[in-house]
Amino acid sequence: MSPTPQPSPTPATAPAAVPAPVTVPTVPAVPAVPATGTARTNGEVAFWYAAHGLPARRPALDGDAEADVALVGGGYTALWTAYYLKRADPSLRIVVLEKEFAGFGASGRNGGWLTAALPGQFRRYAATHGPDAAAAMQRAMFATVDEVIDAARTEGIDADVRKDGELHVAVGEVQERRMLAHLPALREEGWGEDDMVRLGPDELADRVRVAGARGALWTPHCARVHPAALVRGLAAAVERLGVTVYEDTEVTAVRPGAAVCRQGTVRARHVIRALEGFTAGLDGHRRTWVPMNSSMIVTAPLEQAVWDEIGWRGAEVIGDEAHAYCYLQRTADDRIAIGGRGVPYRFGSRVDARGETHASTQRQLTDLLGRLFPAAAGAPVDHAWSGVLGVPRDWCATVGLDPATGLGWAGGYVGHGVATTNLAGRTLCDLVLGRDTELTRLPWVGRRVRGWEPEPLRWLGIRGLYAAYRAADRREDGGLGRTSRIARAADLLSGR
Ligand SMILES: Cc1cc2nc3c(=O)[nH]c(=O)nc-3n(C[C@H](O)[C@H](O)[C@H](O)COP(=O)(O)OP(=O)(O)OC[C@H]3O[C@@H](n4cnc5c(N)ncnc54)[C@H](O)[C@@H]3O)c2cc1C
């Protein structure tokens, strides 16, 4: 897909007797003037690679190989697992098997919220393991944010990390009511007075001026990061430790003791599935987690006059309280990146090729940006892209290792994977080494839930769910005055 319809080539005219030199009209890859609301660059994996270009590929696997641990996928999950394992036991032979390049997936495309939000629902973890265990998981998430920051510092990874917290802005009366109604539950789940702070409209305006905002919840447990810089630095860090990262190496099957690739088979005692949103592509896993799409746009750097209007001097990441919510970051180079669901799911669990994003999704995000920040309305949009994240049927992340088969997994982070992948990596490290620790007792360890429905039910259900959330948001924006029953019904039906 291209951002704007390309002009059709003008036929060359030349005197009949003299063959004219064939000139191929050049069509600029980046149109000088994009259609209103669409980006100059569409896809190309993500904006986060625009400054340095896509990375040069590491060598692919070349024939059969042996290892102690084979990690399937080259995102944060695999890399953090390799990182902690190799530090714990430098003698381990560890390989990472990545189909494209490390960071090609969500790890190189996300919104850069290094957030302590639970990757699932507290009540579901509490239902299986009790509220204390669920609270322990929340505490582990708080600690994970600092663990990532410390590890990045230790490894000299410059990923624009800034821990100014996370703002959940209530736009309009209904969102405000919903936000306040949710607060007591957050307190019970372990978010104390200092972990989640209520801000009135004036306090919020001191930090950032969002049109129609009635207040916000702010938590310090979040940092803004540059996603691709983090994954690139992490891949380099594990290589320094002696891990082999194979790229252009697609795993076609995973079985006990083996990861089968196009170029050969890696035999390993432990084989860990770390594919998140790409899991459905692996034989036997079509319905394990659905690849849920998320799309983003980023503006050109905004002028100081625009920032003066908006405020937002810090690096707090910002989201709203809509049912189909959005997420934003102020980038280190003074742009606004904003993301949302876009086309939520593709029939048959298909994934996009290189992040190309539908023009209507780009326009939705551009409009939303203008509504939240009128001063930024009409700002040029430099880039649009999309990616997939993994969602299990119960919307709760899971990590585990079957000691009998040596097969392990982690994922289904439901859009909260930037920090959770680190917790997964440390947990898988303990599981592989056979350690019984606080981490291995957390309630997401070994969690198994039923798979998603077969098609077309899966497609109908998920598309219907998001259509319902959008309809609910529209009704609430139109002055409904309360949370829409459509959204409540959608929550009930989906089990979210
Ligand atoms: C647009 C977007 C915004 C997001 N924003 C946030 C956010 O702000 N905060 C947050 O916490 N979370 C966010 N997430 C989610 C988060 O980015 C992911 O949960 C996390 O990066 C998952 O990491 P991973 O390593 O498990 O998977 P991935 O990073 O997706 O890595 C999987 C890798 O497997 C590779 N692969 C696929 N098939 C094969 C195969 N057959 N063989 C070998 N390799 C294969 C892929 O190329 C990919 O590199 C967002 C996700 C998206 C898409």
Side-chain angles (χ1 to χ4, degrees):
M1 195 196 322
S2 90
T4 50
Q6 302 291 357
S8 51
T10 312
T13 51
V18 187
V22 180
T23 47
V24 179
T26 47
V27 178
V30 179
V33 185
T36 318
T38 55
R40 290 179 166 135
T41 304
N42 185 4
E44 301 298 325
V45 185
F47 160 74
W48 308 117
Y49 290 104
H52 302 287
L54 296 176
R57 305 263 172 141
R58 296 176 169 84
L61 178 71
D62 182 18
D64 293 344
E66 286 206 6
D68 298 303
V69 183
L71 293 151
V72 181
Y76 300 142
T77 299
L79 296 171
W80 281 125
T81 307
Y83 180 73
Y84 289 104
L85 272 171
K86 198 69 182 167
R87 280 175 26 136
D89 182 351
S91 73
L92 284 175
R93 296 163 306 162
I94 302 175
V95 299
V96 172
L97 305 165
E98 162 59 48
K99 181 179 173 184
E100 301 279 345
F101 60 84
F104 175 81
S107 300
R109 306 189 193 192
N110 62 72
W113 285 38
L114 178 66
T115 173
L118 213 54
Q121 294 165 64
F122 185 94
R123 68 182 165 86
R124 287 190 185 271
Y125 290 125
T128 51
H129 290 71
D132 289 349
M137 175 116 176
Q138 183 58 71
R139 284 196 300 279
M141 287 301 300
F142 290 150
T144 297
V145 172
D146 291 328
E147 172 66 26
V148 172
I149 295 171
D150 289 348
R153 192 177 301 126
T154 305
E155 297 303 328
I157 301 171
D158 181 3
D160 296 343
V161 181
R162 208 168 131 184
K163 193 181 176 200
D164 285 352
E166 175 179 326
L167 271 172
H168 292 269
V169 178
V171 182
E173 191 190 334
V174 183
Q175 288 193 20
E176 182 189 23
R177 260 196 250 151
R178 195 158 50 236
M179 179 184 87
L180 295 180
H182 186 46
L183 193 52
L186 286 173
R187 296 275 181 257
E188 278 176 27
E189 293 170 10
W191 296 80
E193 300 280 340
D194 296 335
D195 300 313
M196 190 60 86
V197 181
R198 184 181 163 189
L199 303 181
D202 293 342
E203 290 162 300
L204 173 63
D206 283 346
R207 286 172 178 267
V208 59
R209 287 185 282 282
V210 177
R214 312 273 296 217
L217 295 179
W218 175 79
T219 168
H221 298 292
C222 184
R224 184 275 318 270
V225 301
H226 184 299
L230 180 60
V231 74
R232 187 172 44 230
L234 202 48
V238 300
E239 282 186 316
R240 283 197 300 273
L241 290 172
V243 172
T244 307
V245 179
Y246 291 113
E247 297 187 330
D248 287 321
T249 301
E250 179 177 0
V251 176
T252 54
V254 161
R255 51 177 187 253
V260 183
C261 309
R262 298 205 180 278
Q263 298 91 337
T265 295
V266 177
R267 305 213 169 273
R269 167 75 190 98
H270 294 102
V271 181
I272 313 287
R273 179 163 55 74
L275 296 173
E276 245 274 274
F278 299 89
T279 302
L282 210 56
D283 264 0
H285 288 285
R286 184 155 288 276
R287 287 157 55 190
T288 304
W289 300 327
V290 289
M292 201 71 86
N293 188 67
S294 202
S295 299
M296 299 196 70
I297 58 165
V298 68
T299 66
L302 299 179
E303 288 169 11
Q304 190 53 47
V306 177
W307 289 114
D308 289 345
E309 282 282 313
I310 295 174
W312 203 0
R313 288 173 299 279
E316 305 92 338
V317 297
I318 299 178
D320 65 2
E321 291 281 323
H323 300 291
Y325 57 83
C326 64
Y327 50 92
L328 301 93
Q329 74 149 273
R330 176 176 178 163
T331 65
D333 60 350
D334 297 329
R335 305 161 185 264
I336 296 180
I338 175 170
R341 188 58 75 219
V343 175
Y345 170 73
R346 289 187 164 81
F347 190 87
S349 292
R350 278 186 298 119
V351 296
D352 64 79
R354 290 163 66 86
E356 286 187 357
T357 300
H358 207 279
S360 61
T361 301
Q362 298 183 38
R363 278 194 291 269
Q364 274 168 25
L365 290 169
T366 310
D367 290 351
L368 183 57
L369 176 68
R371 282 205 302 281
L372 296 173
F373 297 120
V381 176
D382 271 356
H383 209 127
W385 70 100
S386 298
V388 284
L389 47 101
V391 177
R393 187 63 182 84
D394 70 345
W395 301 78
C396 287
T398 161
V399 58
L401 177 76
D402 179 349
T405 61
L407 292 177
W409 70 90
Y413 309 113
V414 295
H416 293 163
V418 177
T420 316
T421 46
N422 175 280
L423 184 62
R426 285 182 286 134
T427 306
L428 280 165
C429 171
D430 286 350
L431 291 170
V432 166
L433 299 177
R435 295 170 172 167
D436 176 14
T437 64
E438 276 182 17
L439 294 186
T440 63
R441 287 190 289 269
L442 290 176
W444 69 323
V445 178
R447 187 178 186 83
R448 289 180 193 271
V449 293
R450 72 180 170 94
W452 284 83
E453 288 74 2
E455 295 292 23
L457 291 180
R458 200 155 74 233
W459 186 85
L460 286 169
I462 297 167
R463 296 289 279 241
L465 179 71
Y466 279 96
Y469 284 138
R470 288 212 177 93
D473 285 330
R474 274 196 304 275
R475 298 194 68 197
E476 291 174 14
D477 290 347
L480 183 66
R482 57 171 166 77
T483 289
S484 159
R485 290 201 184 91
I486 302 176
R488 289 191 200 282
D491 280 345
L492 261 174
L493 282 174
S494 67
R496 273 180 89 186

